[in-house]
Structures are given as structure tokens and as C-alpha cells.
Amino acid sequence: MRRRAHRAGPAALAVACALAGAAVGVAASSAGASSRIASAATVVYPDDPGIRYTEYARATVTHAGAVFDRPGVPNGNGIASPGTRINFRTDATRVSVMVTYTFACGALGCGHFSAERDGRLLPPSFGSDVASGAGTYLIATQVSPATRSYSIIWPYGTQMVFNGLALDGGSHHLVSPAPARPARLYVAYGDSITQGYYASAGTIHTYPDQVARKKNWSVINMGFGGEPTVPSDGSAVGKLHGNIVTVAIGANDWGQSKALGTFVSDYNGLLDAIRALQPTVPLYCLTPIWTGLEGVQNGQGLYVHDYRQAITQIVQQRMATDPNLHLIDGLTLVPNQLRYFVDGVHPNDAGFALYASNLAAKLAL
């Protein structure tokens, strides 16, 4: 349900280093420190053909930087690109990533990114939730050169520009071909709960990312904090040509006191827009999960449950003529207990894990 204002400002990044052979996170806290890292390494720039970019809605790649965003939804969170991946292969003994935060996002986990080596997550997550500006992060080391596959996973709540890789040891270049990602694409549309607020370690704890891991799918996260049901969002979703789509929207319609008749029209319009571009894609509509505000009326005198019932009626009616449309009761995804929530609305890491496990069991492709 969250919408954030984005402001850039000067800040420094600082994290401690770790022992060789482990995954480590090092951020340069000054220009001098950054130069010391770079002087011992070979820089690989974003337009290098050995890099494969995946799971983005839009990418702008130049020699100096790669920027990812999500067009088509007029929401400030569209400048984030949760779960976008930078995939490459190298035999370097030290692998660092150079990035620039365009603003300090300021929410739990919002600026943290993760990395995989040979398909396994490297602990811990990297990055900052409270800084803006440039930083260089040492993500992995190994004792001797050996070709390994890497995937860097973009944060859920900030815009982070990819400025390149710094490789030390080994052959000092990328090895082709870059690792591929699963061919089946999952597109998850929704609000801040889908985007991932407040997953503590960033995107890897969001439910779309966890579902994709369980199913061995690629995923594009189209969750936007603060977003109500907007019919034109369906076009932005459909243009991504996912193999399976989930729609988890409605909580902000209650929060913004949208009239129920308007909500019904908007929800039908959203599904119409998806179906106009993807008439047969498996489409799963999730009613809002439980919140700690179940007994609270909005300005229309309506409860969250009224919007759940409206979604249920809409989807059930459409299912009669749409065999690839499915309804999932959001109340079955996260237990109705505050201990699974950060603030009574957004799941915590335990809540997201249950959300993902329960949802994955209901999705078929």
C-alpha cells in the first residue's frame, strides 16, 4: 500500500569486508577508497557483450551505465526494478559491482541487493537503504581462478544504476556465454506488498521472487507501492508477455475510499486490458490478504472485505467464459496473525515466506 517520495542527496556507503573465499560486501566510502579498488582490477562496462540482462520491464544500457525501470504505470515506484538480474561468468578471484543509488529510499530492505554464484545465494545481502551516490561492493571471492556463474539481483525499492564490474585475479574478463535464466516468465502485478515492502534483505524475500525460485521460473515484479486498481495497468502487464500472471490488488482501493461501483468497473477494466494482449495466459486473481484493519471502515463506510467480495464476484462471473482465469482467496495465503506482519498490513519475512509457499502451491503452468 506504500507510495514513496524519492529525493537524491549526498551520502556515503560503508560496510565491512570479510575473509577470502567467502561472500563479502564492501562499499567504498570515499573517492580514494574507490580508486584503490579499481586500480587493482579490470573494469567491465555495462555494454560488454558478456553480460546478460534479464527480468526487467525496460532497460537503457550505455557504456557508462545500465538503468532499469517499469514504464506504463504512472507511479513513483516505477523507477525501481525489483528483481532485475545482471548475469555473467568469470574466473576472477575477486568480483565487485559498481553502482550508483539515485536516491536514498529509506525503508527496511528497500536498497539491498543480492547475488548468486552458480545458482546459490551468497550471504549476506549488499547495499544500503539510507544512502545515495556511488559505491563499489565486493560480492564474492575465491582462492584461485575458476569459472563461476553470477547473477546480481536488483533491490525492490530504489533506482540503482549499474556502472560495471571490477574483476581481480584470473583472466580479468568475462567468459561467454553469459548464464541463461529459466524460459518461463512469471509476471506479478500488485501494490507495495507485491513490490516487497518491507522485506528485510530486499527482493529475495519478496513473494514473487520466492515463488519463482520454487517453480524455477523467471519473474518480473510489477508491484507498485500505493497503487490502486487502474485499468491501463493491465496493458503494461500484458506487454511483458509472461507465461503466467498474478493480480494482487485492491487494498489501496479500500484505503483511498474508492466507491465500490468504481472499483468494480476498474477491476473489470484491468482484466480486460490484460486479456486484450494475452487472451489465454493463465491469470490468477488474488483477493487482498488479511490486514490488522479488518474492522475499520473507509470514507465510503466499506471494509476491506467488501472489496474482497467484489473481486470474488467479478472473477467468478468471468470464469464462466474464461477457462484460464482463476481465483485465489488471499486469506489463505498469510495467517491472520499480527506476528506475520511488520505493521499490520505488510508481511514480514516470515509472512512473505508463507505467502510464497501457499501461493506457489496454487499456481499451475
Side-chain angles (χ1 to χ4, degrees), residues 36-346:
R36 287 194 296 274
I37 293 173
S39 65
T42 297
V43 174
V44 176
Y45 291 96
D47 59 351
D48 190 286
I51 298 173
R52 186 194 307 271
Y53 299 106
T54 62
E55 285 137 292
Y56 57 84
R58 180 170 63 187
T60 304
V61 180
T62 67
H63 184 68
V67 182
F68 312 95
D69 61 2
R70 298 174 296 163
V73 178
N75 179 305
N77 283 284
I79 68 172
S81 191
T84 288
R85 285 176 176 253
I86 299 168
N87 309 285
F88 58 94
R89 207 184 309 270
T90 181
D91 66 350
T93 56
R94 293 168 59 88
V95 180
S96 301
V97 58
M98 300 178 293
V99 302
T100 300
Y101 287 91
T102 62
F103 64 91
C105 53
L108 178 65
C110 63
H112 276 71
F113 63 98
S114 301
E116 290 175 351
R117 181 166 62 189
D118 295 334
R120 304 185 67 174
L121 280 169
L122 295 174
S125 60
F126 311 96
S128 172
D129 301 333
V130 297
S132 63
T136 297
Y137 289 88
L138 177 60
I139 62 169
T141 66
Q142 57 183 349
V143 175
S144 58
T147 300
R148 315 289 287 270
S149 296
Y150 295 89
S151 187
I152 300 172
I153 307 165
W154 240 223
Y156 77 74
T158 189
Q159 185 179 68
M160 199 169 71
V161 180
F162 173 57
N163 300 122
L165 302 168
L167 307 179
D168 195 8
S171 59
H172 287 262
H173 62 76
L174 300 185
V175 178
S176 294
R181 292 283 297 150
R184 288 183 171 176
L185 175 63
Y186 166 38
V187 176
Y189 168 74
D191 51 33
S192 57
I193 295 171
T194 298
Q195 185 174 350
Y197 285 93
Y198 298 88
S200 68
T203 301
I204 60 170
H205 281 171
T206 66
Y207 81 78
D209 189 83
Q210 293 187 71
V211 166
R213 288 176 187 278
K214 293 175 185 295
K215 295 290 200 177
N216 193 31
W217 296 339
S218 296
V219 58
I220 295 180
N221 186 317
M222 290 291 281
F224 301 87
E227 192 74 349
T229 304
V230 178
S232 62
D233 288 0
S235 297
V237 169
K239 288 176 181 177
L240 297 174
H241 302 294
N243 299 110
I244 187 169
V245 176
T246 58
V247 170
I249 202 77
N252 287 310
D253 298 273
W254 169 82
Q256 296 175 21
S257 298
K258 183 182 289 186
L260 204 57
T262 303
F263 174 68
V264 169
S265 176
D266 288 347
Y267 200 95
N268 272 306
L270 174 72
L271 298 186
D272 287 342
I274 295 173
R275 281 294 181 235
L277 294 170
Q278 293 190 283
T280 61
V281 70
L283 176 57
Y284 289 80
C285 297
L286 286 56
T287 62
I289 63 174
W290 180 85
T291 79
L293 303 172
E294 295 295 321
V296 178
Q297 290 180 315
N298 65 11
Q300 297 283 337
L302 299 169
Y303 299 94
V304 177
H305 187 64
D306 294 315
Y307 295 81
R308 286 195 195 98
Q309 287 185 318
I311 293 171
T312 299
Q313 292 171 359
I314 291 167
V315 176
Q316 287 178 340
Q317 289 172 0
R318 297 177 68 114
M319 285 169 61
T321 57
D322 187 342
N324 294 307
L325 182 65
H326 309 276
L327 176 67
I328 294 177
D329 181 358
L331 294 177
T332 67
L333 300 177
V334 184
N336 303 354
Q337 301 174 32
L338 286 172
R339 65 192 178 102
Y340 292 110
F341 292 83
V342 173
D343 53 5
V345 174
H346 300 86

